[in-house]
Amino acid sequence: MIVSKFGGSSVASSEQFKKVKSIIMSDERRKIIVTSASGKESPNDNKITDLLYLVHAHLQYSVSFKELFSTIANRFIKIQNDLNLKTNIQIDLEEIEMGLTKRCPIDDLVSRGEYLTGILLADYLGYKFVDAKDILWFNYDGSIDFDKTEMMVKNAINKYEKIVVPGFYGSMPDGNIHVMKRGGSDITGSILARVCNAEVYENWTDVSGILMADPRIIENPKQIEKITYSELRELSYMGANVLHEDAIYPVKDSNIPILILNTNDPSFKGTMICDKIINDESKNMITGIAGKKDFTVITMYRHNASNEIGLLRKALEVFEKYKISVEHVPSGIDNFSIVVSTKSVERFLYEIVSQLKQVTGSENVQVTNNLSLLAIVGRNMAKHVGVSGQLFKTLGDYEINIRMIAQGSDEINIIVGVENEDFEKAIHVLYNSFA
Ligand code: ASP
């Protein structure tokens, strides 16, 4: 059995619905379909989920939402009419509109995008619509109740054989609707693939698989054919986003491969994500390059810092107190630095520096901004001599100063920090050198 998840742009219009249907009908094994809410048809268009969040904001400020709601309603009505569907989506829309009050829980409201899209898609495919609130269950801490979910999904599949499930939400133990993080339909697909032990989890989107580098920086980057879960984790963490990073865990544990495919170009092979790549034919030293701008480095100078037990802990506790996630901690003999994203720290910087001075006893705490972090990631780098040499030589040849270096102990990534203004250039020269 295959679980196929379709992203917002794949279900943005009746034309996209037609593509989705022909994909699903071309393989009998596609029995569980997960859908996002209808997304953007063109770059200037709006995602239904964004509009629903906006409706909620209107409600909170007691501003009329009528016009906005009819924009949403018209999108669904148009799809229904274009495809001549039996379902009368107007009834659902009226019911939702009637329930809109200031007290309307935000999760209930924003989940309606997936709900309505799912109803239309199920009708169009001739599949049974199964509401995620009946089969996908959370624990109160927000984690997934896999046992209950598995039982419910298996019941639904046994009963109906082919189902459409809206992504992005499920139920809390008390039955209230709970939505996941934005982009959460990827996670729904992954959970369903795991609980019914799918042979593959297909994730249909609007790009041809995962690319070796950001196409906004590198023109026509090569496509990655196969990538391991761990490599993808590293790339996603460093800014490459094709799949929600939390979508990896559920299938990773059961070793179910994920295929990233393009609804607009279904014959394209896409990218396969799996645990181990058997008969790995890739000779490329690196699988991908990614990076993020705008980090801040806070450096504490103190004689013999490296020998002082507990010093680092005291400094890190300050960041913990402000709930700031620490990216890296490069250290020397008489100093150590803490690298954090500028956005997370800027509001409290003054307080943090003063507290760091107090707890570490360092009079000299320096702050530098405008750091970019970029990572080269590749399973073939492990135990291979000369990769970091090539990285440093390339950056050196192009006069890019490296401000920080870090390598994960499993050797599948090397991270370097460069000035923000060198970021794009660094990605270019590394891509040309390694890809
Ligand atoms: N519709 C939700 C969002 O826009 C979830 C998803 O599409 O995966 O974030």
Side-chain angles (χ1 to χ4, degrees), residues 14-292:
S14 48
E15 285 315 303
Q16 292 301 89
F17 266 57
K18 288 179 190 162
K19 293 181 192 167
V20 168
K21 185 169 185 171
S22 93
I23 290 167
I24 293 173
M25 296 303 153
S26 68
D27 193 330
E28 267 288 305
R29 293 170 303 166
R30 296 186 173 119
K31 290 195 165 119
I32 300 186
I33 311 302
V34 175
T35 183
S36 280
S38 183
K40 293 184 185 196
E41 226 184 316
S42 63
N44 298 330
D45 205 8
N46 293 303
K47 289 182 176 186
I48 291 290
T49 309
D50 290 333
L51 297 178
L52 288 167
Y53 275 105
L54 209 53
V55 169
H56 191 263
H58 278 58
L59 285 168
Q60 298 315 300
Y61 293 103
S62 307
V63 176
S64 168
F65 55 82
K66 293 272 174 226
E67 211 175 306
L68 191 55
F69 194 79
S70 54
T71 309
I72 298 173
N74 289 339
R75 285 269 295 269
F76 290 109
I77 293 168
K78 184 166 186 332
I79 295 175
Q80 175 192 286
N81 291 342
D82 285 354
L83 300 173
N84 265 326
L85 300 178
K86 293 192 299 297
T87 305
N88 190 349
I89 206 74
Q90 199 106 27
I91 297 176
D92 291 287
L93 287 162
E94 276 163 20
E95 201 175 302
I96 295 167
E97 194 173 2
M98 264 160 41
L100 292 179
T101 65
K102 213 169 178 157
R103 292 246 190 84
C104 171
I106 189 163
D107 287 25
D108 283 22
L109 176 52
V110 300
S111 66
R112 296 305 84 186
E114 272 70 12
Y115 174 83
L116 294 164
T117 310
I119 289 186
L120 292 177
L121 187 62
D123 183 351
Y124 186 51
L125 296 173
Y127 277 34
K128 176 76 183 169
F129 173 78
V130 175
D131 195 345
K133 87 173 184 358
D134 299 325
I135 58 166
L136 199 147
W137 290 86
F138 294 94
N139 297 307
Y140 273 119
D141 64 2
S143 61
I144 301 294
D145 181 343
F146 275 105
D147 291 339
K148 187 163 179 188
T149 302
E150 178 170 345
M151 195 175 79
M152 296 310 217
V153 173
K154 283 188 171 157
N155 283 348
I157 265 294
N158 288 340
K159 198 156 160 199
Y160 305 115
E161 202 191 335
K162 292 177 167 181
I163 61 176
V164 171
V165 183
F168 188 42
Y169 69 94
S171 288
M172 278 298 194
D174 59 7
N176 284 330
I177 286 188
H178 175 65
V179 297
M180 302 172 182
K181 295 179 197 159
R182 294 299 306 267
S185 302
D186 283 346
I187 310 172
T188 305
S190 180
I191 293 165
L192 299 193
R194 167 173 160 166
V195 297
C196 62
N197 204 12
E199 51 197 285
V200 50
Y201 167 32
E202 291 181 342
N203 193 291
W204 292 86
T205 157
D206 54 7
V207 290
S208 286
I210 303 175
L211 302 170
M212 276 188 83
D214 186 340
R216 288 167 300 186
I217 302 175
I218 304 290
E219 208 179 314
N220 283 327
K222 289 184 197 160
Q223 187 226 340
I224 302 171
E225 267 185 43
K226 289 180 183 164
I227 181 168
T228 65
Y229 300 123
S230 324
E231 287 175 304
L232 185 66
R233 273 285 296 148
E234 298 290 343
L235 285 176
S236 309
Y237 186 70
M238 290 301 290
N241 60 24
V242 177
L243 183 76
H244 198 297
E245 53 183 86
D246 292 350
I248 295 172
Y249 289 110
V251 285
K252 182 178 193 287
D253 289 343
S254 329
N255 205 1
I256 297 167
I258 309 174
L259 259 177
I260 307 289
L261 297 156
N262 189 349
T263 302
N264 302 320
D265 187 6
S267 57
F268 201 81
K269 239 169 68 194
T271 299
M272 175 175 280
I273 310 161
C274 47
D275 191 28
K276 282 201 179 63
I277 295 169
I278 305 160
N279 299 329
D280 195 353
E281 283 156 12
S282 167
K283 300 271 174 296
N284 267 3
M285 206 49 69
I286 71 157
T287 307
I289 304 174
K292 290 198 270 196

